[in-house]
Amino acid sequence: MIQAEDIWQFLTEVEDPEIPVVNVIEMGIVRDVRYAQDKWVVSITPTYSGCPAMHAIEQDITELLSEKGLEHFEVKTILSPAWTTDWMTNEARMKLEAYGIAPPQKGSSDKALLMGKLRDVKCPRCKSYDTHMISQFGSTACKSLYKCESCLEPFDYFKCI
Amino acid sequence: MMGVLEKYILHLADNQLILGQRLAEWCGHGPVLEEDIALSNFALDNIGQATLLYKRVAEIEGAGKSEDDYAFLRSEREYFNFLAMELPNGDYAFTIARQYLFAEFYALYLSELTKSKDTFLAEYAVKSLKEVKYHVQHARDWVLRMGDGTEESHHRIQQAVNHIWNFTGEWFMDFETDIELMQSGVVPTNSKLLPKWQNAVQKTCLEATVVMPVSGWMHSGGRNGKHTEYMGHLLTPMQYLQRAYPNSKW
């Protein structure tokens, strides 16, 4: 008999389609795995309401669980509690930085940013704090575009929500 | 017959869908690459929120419909979005003026909606508020930049704010059909949001050296399915594929 822990373990194989260095567990997208009535229910939550990766993630999970021999399961999308970058594990943050994306800083919503002040964001390449925001929106809704004044490289910053 | 709550949620969803469709029209046409990307991202937020809301309407209706049925298979008079959402994008100043004024309203609205007695609406509000705060910040920034910018940009943003102003009154009307939902704490009372909204907008206008228009006669009708002449032209390309090839999928 498959246990919830086995399923959690299986799900570490599902990568984030936009950021393939992290998996859906590390991203905090999988919220719950439980057996209810006669099937396994895997609950996932969207990072942003319109995140196009969610469809891919749902499909990938469905395919993987079928491959693992599960017959009766459902992948359910839940909204509450709303996803926050605080749920990203430290390991995920380190992987993001190594991948070239500045990880979100701890302390959920970017209050300083919303008040018009900018946070100090570290360049993932040369580690300089001499960086500035080029655009609030980068390659995806969850990232802003920054530029490092020290090594002159542009980079993505995973913004806090 | 559709119940009061479903119709109300449909109104929220339609606002998101129609505004999202308008913003998506900027994709590939933005004044600079960063803005093109920003507006496409907002459109994605809007359409994502519309999807969540339509799904909920489908659940309550229980007639086996999908979010796509609501988005693509209704006719003009069956949409309940505010008129401002469907107005053509105009120049960048107009798009930004609408974006700013509506986001400022919607952030206030959602803050109240987080206290809703309806679990779904409260959860929707918490999730969406995070996104809308970024919308406010982005649009406000541009209002300041244009208002306090060159003579040309100042003129454009002032014209834009003047133009859209008569369409904002509808956002703060309390509709008779919603009174019960308001009294039972399911949805906020829109008229109560007006003073806070005016304060926030006044503050931005002052900083942007834009004259805040005096409120007079206001357009309304969206809530009752009575739209501007632009609505049909928006729906036609949006619905074409599903109308011509019913049930086609990606």
Side-chain angles (χ1 to χ4, degrees):
Chain A
M1 172 72 184
I2 279 183
Q3 301 296 313
E5 296 84 68
D6 300 327
I7 295 180
W8 281 102
Q9 188 54 41
F10 293 158
L11 293 174
T12 58
E13 294 174 32
V14 179
E15 295 165 348
D16 182 308
E18 291 280 354
I19 317 164
V21 287
V22 289
N23 65 50
V24 291
I25 307 284
E26 294 167 321
M27 284 293 287
I29 288 170
V30 177
R31 301 315 304 160
D32 190 40
V33 174
R34 69 177 61 209
Y35 196 78
Q37 286 162 350
D38 51 359
K39 63 182 174 190
W40 286 99
V41 179
V42 177
S43 301
I44 57 174
T45 196
T47 51
Y48 280 72
S49 308
C51 181
M54 287 310 287
H55 295 285
I57 290 172
E58 201 181 313
Q59 253 170 19
D60 290 350
I61 292 178
T62 305
E63 268 171 39
L64 180 94
L65 294 184
S66 304
E67 264 171 42
K68 299 284 182 190
L70 258 78
E71 281 173 13
H72 305 287
F73 64 88
E74 181 195 349
V75 183
K76 195 170 90 179
T77 300
I78 56 167
L79 290 184
S80 183
W83 187 81
T84 158
T85 33
D86 289 351
W87 291 345
M88 285 169 83
T89 61
N90 278 332
E91 204 173 8
R93 285 164 204 268
M94 271 147 51
K95 286 183 185 172
L96 280 182
E97 194 174 359
Y99 187 61
I101 299 172
Q105 286 151 355
K106 288 268 188 185
S108 61
S109 71
D110 250 345
K111 283 205 186 89
L113 188 70
L114 293 169
M115 300 302 284
K117 282 182 224 141
L118 293 181
R119 285 189 168 207
D120 295 327
V121 172
K122 186 169 72 170
C123 170
R125 189 170 172 273
C126 75
K127 317 298 176 205
S128 163
Y129 278 95
D130 188 10
T131 61
H132 77 267
M133 188 175 74
I134 296 173
S135 174
Q136 187 80 266
F137 294 87
S139 51
T140 62
C142 52
K143 290 177 251 150
S144 307
L145 191 59
Y146 270 71
K147 187 187 171 193
C148 175
E149 292 300 339
S150 183
C151 69
L152 303 179
E153 281 291 320
F155 64 92
D156 269 335
Y157 162 59
F158 206 113
K159 59 185 182 242
C160 304
I161 65 164
Chain B
M1 230 335 242
M2 197 177 254
V4 181
L5 181 64
E6 296 98 283
K7 209 172 158 188
Y8 188 93
I9 300 176
L10 212 47
H11 150 69
L12 294 181
D14 290 345
N15 279 340
Q16 295 303 313
L17 178 71
I18 302 300
L19 183 61
Q21 174 73 7
R22 279 296 185 216
L23 292 178
E25 289 172 12
W26 276 107
C27 185
H29 301 273
V32 289
L33 185 60
E34 288 78 10
E35 284 308 289
D36 200 294
I37 294 170
L39 291 190
S40 303
N41 273 312
F42 295 145
L44 211 55
D45 286 345
N46 291 138
I47 293 168
Q49 290 186 26
T51 308
L52 299 174
L53 294 162
Y54 286 137
K55 277 187 176 161
R56 179 63 188 150
V57 175
E59 257 176 45
I60 304 177
E61 271 210 295
K65 287 191 202 168
S66 80
E67 60 269 32
D68 287 347
D69 293 322
Y70 295 102
F72 299 122
L73 300 178
R74 281 179 299 151
S75 59
E76 195 181 322
R77 293 292 290 264
E78 295 166 305
Y79 282 83
F80 306 114
N81 55 283
F82 290 135
L83 299 177
M85 307 296 105
E86 70 206 42
L87 296 178
N89 285 332
D91 59 8
Y92 206 63
F94 185 77
T95 292
I96 288 296
R98 167 173 56 199
Q99 198 64 12
Y100 169 65
L101 296 174
F102 183 69
E104 197 77 86
F105 156 75
Y106 209 51
L108 288 171
Y109 174 86
L110 289 175
S111 306
E112 286 300 311
L113 192 66
T114 57
K115 301 174 220 155
S116 172
K117 296 263 167 66
D118 182 283
T119 316
F120 167 79
L121 284 177
E123 290 180 357
Y124 159 75
V126 172
K127 176 86 202 150
S128 304
L129 187 57
K130 291 186 178 210
E131 295 162 6
V132 173
K133 279 181 178 172
Y134 276 105
H135 299 193
V136 176
Q137 208 251 333
H138 167 270
R140 188 175 190 274
D141 234 33
W142 275 99
V143 171
L144 298 185
R145 204 176 300 186
M146 286 196 250
D148 199 15
T150 65
E151 206 176 306
E152 174 75 13
S153 70
H154 174 84
H155 174 69
R156 295 254 193 145
I157 193 73
Q158 182 69 63
Q159 291 284 94
V161 171
N162 294 350
H163 179 180
I164 197 160
W165 200 258
N166 290 356
F167 288 90
T168 61
E170 196 180 23
W171 308 346
F172 302 97
M173 289 177 184
D174 300 328
F175 288 85
E176 220 174 297
T177 46
D178 309 331
I179 298 286
E180 208 177 299
L181 294 177
M182 290 172 183
Q183 285 173 347
S184 53
V186 173
V187 304
T189 305
N190 288 34
S191 60
K192 288 189 185 159
L193 304 172
L194 184 61
K196 271 193 183 169
W197 180 79
Q198 279 174 329
N199 280 345
V201 172
Q202 179 68 280
K203 202 170 154 250
T204 302
C205 282
L206 274 176
E207 226 178 295
T209 71
V210 166
V211 180
M212 189 165 124
V214 178
S215 297
W217 181 82
M218 291 285 178
H219 292 278
S220 66
R223 280 301 306 274
N224 300 320
K226 290 179 188 160
H227 294 277
T228 65
E229 73 229 59
Y230 306 111
M231 187 66 174
H233 293 281
L234 180 148
L235 294 180
T236 307
M238 189 180 92
Q239 296 189 336
Y240 174 79
L241 202 92
Q242 280 301 325
R243 298 283 193 186
Y245 306 95
N247 302 320
S248 56
K249 289 210 183 311
W250 273 108

